[in-house]
Amino acid sequence: MIIVLGSVLIRQGAIGEATKLSLEHVYRSRTEPGCISHSVQHDCENSQRLVFVEEWSDLAALHVHFQVPESRAFVGALTVLATEKPKMAIHQVQQAGP
Amino acid sequence: MIIVLGSVLIRQGAIGEATKLSLEHVYRSRTEPGCISHSVQHDCENSQRLVFVEEWSDLAALHVHFQVPESRAFVGALTVLATEKPKMAIHQVQQAGP
């Protein structure tokens, strides 16, 4: 399994629009092959920061996701609303357990 | 590296107190050996849900963290404020990359 952790700091006045766009992206992504979970949160330390947590079955599914035109359009739109380049880390899970 | 993903649904009227307690736990946890990152977020789909994202150097450090009295007290206090048992998944990460 793959875990994707992302975050982006949104400029003042744009968090409402950024959250709306992010939720649309979340709902769309959940319907894609290999998507196990996809969510967006507001950082409790800074409500202008959006935090994404995603789980994908494998890297191939994730790479297909990156190529979906709506995914690319979303990243572009979010970047316009941000004060920094969105950050993303991709982690390959070896195992899960207690 | 270890990634911990947690979430809990807080009862109506208690999200302020739960967020305050969670942030105290976050700040304390960041000072512990092996803690790479520790954060808490509000789910954009349900602002009563807290989402935790943690990165630890290894399982041993995480298990020490679980035994810290303040960690145990925090989980107990959060559970009292919740409408469900807090959920947590522990993932051992093989590698990170693009």
Side-chain angles (χ1 to χ4, degrees):
Chain A
M1 188 181 75
I2 305 294
I3 294 177
V4 180
L5 300 177
S7 76
V8 61
L9 191 61
I10 301 298
R11 59 176 165 74
Q12 291 297 321
I15 191 67
E17 185 180 353
T19 302
K20 177 177 173 287
L21 290 174
S22 296
L23 282 171
E24 289 169 2
H25 177 69
V26 163
Y27 298 143
R28 186 175 55 243
S29 299
R30 285 177 185 163
T31 68
E32 293 177 22
C35 183
I36 298 166
S37 75
H38 201 300
S39 64
V40 61
Q41 285 74 222
H42 291 134
D43 184 350
C44 291
E45 290 175 86
N46 183 350
S47 59
Q48 292 294 121
R49 182 174 295 283
L50 293 173
V51 175
F52 294 84
V53 180
E54 311 173 25
E55 294 170 315
W56 293 84
S57 59
D58 52 67
L59 271 178
L62 182 61
H63 287 151
V64 169
H65 169 65
F66 288 152
Q67 296 306 315
V68 171
E70 289 85 349
S71 293
R72 298 166 69 101
F74 165 69
V75 173
L78 199 64
T79 302
V80 169
L81 300 176
T83 65
E84 63 179 14
K85 194 175 172 208
K87 295 170 194 153
M88 183 174 61
I90 299 169
H91 301 283
Q92 188 149 356
V93 172
Q94 193 170 25
Q95 62 181 51
Chain B
M1 187 180 77
I2 305 294
I3 293 178
V4 180
L5 300 176
S7 77
V8 62
L9 192 60
I10 301 299
R11 59 176 165 74
Q12 291 296 322
I15 191 66
E17 184 178 355
T19 302
K20 177 177 172 287
L21 290 175
S22 296
L23 283 171
E24 290 170 0
H25 178 68
V26 163
Y27 298 143
R28 186 175 55 242
S29 299
R30 285 178 184 162
T31 69
E32 293 177 21
C35 183
I36 298 166
S37 75
H38 202 300
S39 64
V40 61
Q41 285 75 221
H42 292 135
D43 185 350
C44 291
E45 290 175 86
N46 184 349
S47 59
Q48 292 294 120
R49 181 173 295 283
L50 293 173
V51 174
F52 294 83
V53 180
E54 311 172 25
E55 295 170 315
W56 293 84
S57 59
D58 52 67
L59 272 178
L62 182 62
H63 287 151
V64 168
H65 169 66
F66 288 153
Q67 295 307 314
V68 170
E70 289 85 351
S71 294
R72 298 165 71 101
F74 165 70
V75 173
L78 199 65
T79 301
V80 169
L81 300 176
T83 64
E84 62 180 13
K85 193 176 172 210
K87 295 171 194 152
M88 183 175 61
I90 298 169
H91 302 283
Q92 190 151 349
V93 172
Q94 192 172 23
Q95 62 181 50

